Amino acid sequence: HRDRALRILRDLRANHPPTEKIVPALLELAQLTLEDRQVDDALSILNEARALQPPRELLDRIDLVIAEAQYRAEQWEQAAASFERVAYSKSDFAKMSIFNAALSRLKSGDGSRFAANYDQFAKANGEVEARAELRLAEGLAQAARGEERAAASLRNFVRDFPNDAHASEAWV
């Protein structure tokens, strides 16, 4: 069924006039293409869908999949910017997007932007477990880069989240 769906969606993309009406089909095609690890093709489809100026709800979904594709391609800065665009759009995906933006900023080594995204996530009533995950990831990323502040970050994680299931990882 998947191959048939891909064939139908590709045919629709190739033969249907580019209007807002095909945006959901393009989004589905991009997601299937991304599942096949064809990141550049998926991004091309998503940018095509975005250019058709869909309604805000669809645009947020497109931006979210763009961010996921950029993250998979290890394009940390672009992924963070795309996740942030969704996070600040009043989308239903805002909280998840600010969390992912923070992770992307960590991967890019941008500590100040990570901190800003972390604070925004906390203000959005981000779950304790997710905040703990971000703080642990921050300390471990700093340690992996050999940064002096890693030890303090990991101590702060243990202090702030002493009952977290991953607290033992911070004692390494």
Side-chain angles (χ1 to χ4, degrees):
H1 293 108
R2 186 177 190 285
D3 291 337
R4 184 169 183 253
L6 275 169
R7 199 170 42 255
I8 291 168
L9 291 169
R10 286 181 182 134
D11 184 57
L12 181 67
R13 179 183 182 209
N15 298 314
H16 192 281
T19 66
E20 182 186 311
K21 292 179 181 183
I22 68 164
V23 170
L26 292 174
L27 181 58
E28 183 66 27
L29 176 59
Q31 289 173 315
L32 291 170
T33 303
L34 190 56
E35 286 174 13
D36 290 340
R37 293 179 174 79
Q38 297 173 4
V39 175
D40 291 337
D41 289 343
L43 285 169
S44 176
I45 296 164
L46 291 163
N47 286 323
E48 183 180 321
R50 196 171 206 292
L52 296 173
Q53 301 177 333
R56 181 85 246 162
E57 180 183 311
L58 269 176
L59 189 59
D60 287 341
R61 288 182 55 212
I62 291 166
D63 284 343
L64 185 60
V65 178
I66 287 173
E68 290 170 359
Q70 292 165 330
Y71 191 91
R72 286 185 188 186
E74 299 182 5
Q75 299 170 356
W76 311 124
E77 289 293 326
Q78 297 94 324
S82 295
F83 280 126
E84 287 166 350
R85 191 168 49 243
V86 176
Y88 295 109
S89 72
K90 307 267 192 265
S91 166
D92 290 342
F93 307 112
K95 193 185 313 184
M96 173 183 63
S97 295
I98 199 67
F99 177 89
N100 288 326
L103 284 178
S104 299
R105 293 294 178 192
L106 262 183
K107 297 275 191 178
S108 73
D110 189 341
S112 62
R113 296 289 297 272
F114 164 79
N117 286 332
Y118 177 86
D119 290 344
Q120 183 64 32
F121 182 72
K123 287 178 190 170
N125 295 319
E127 296 81 15
V128 172
E129 295 84 9
R131 289 195 332 261
E133 182 181 338
L134 286 173
R135 292 281 297 282
L136 177 60
E138 175 188 31
L140 295 175
Q142 290 168 342
R145 290 190 297 266
E147 296 178 18
E148 286 184 30
R149 64 182 177 200
S153 292
L154 292 170
R155 278 193 302 274
N156 289 339
F157 164 76
V158 171
R159 183 195 68 224
D160 295 344
F161 304 99
N163 298 322
D164 188 81
H166 302 286
S168 63
E169 293 177 42
W171 288 107
V172 177

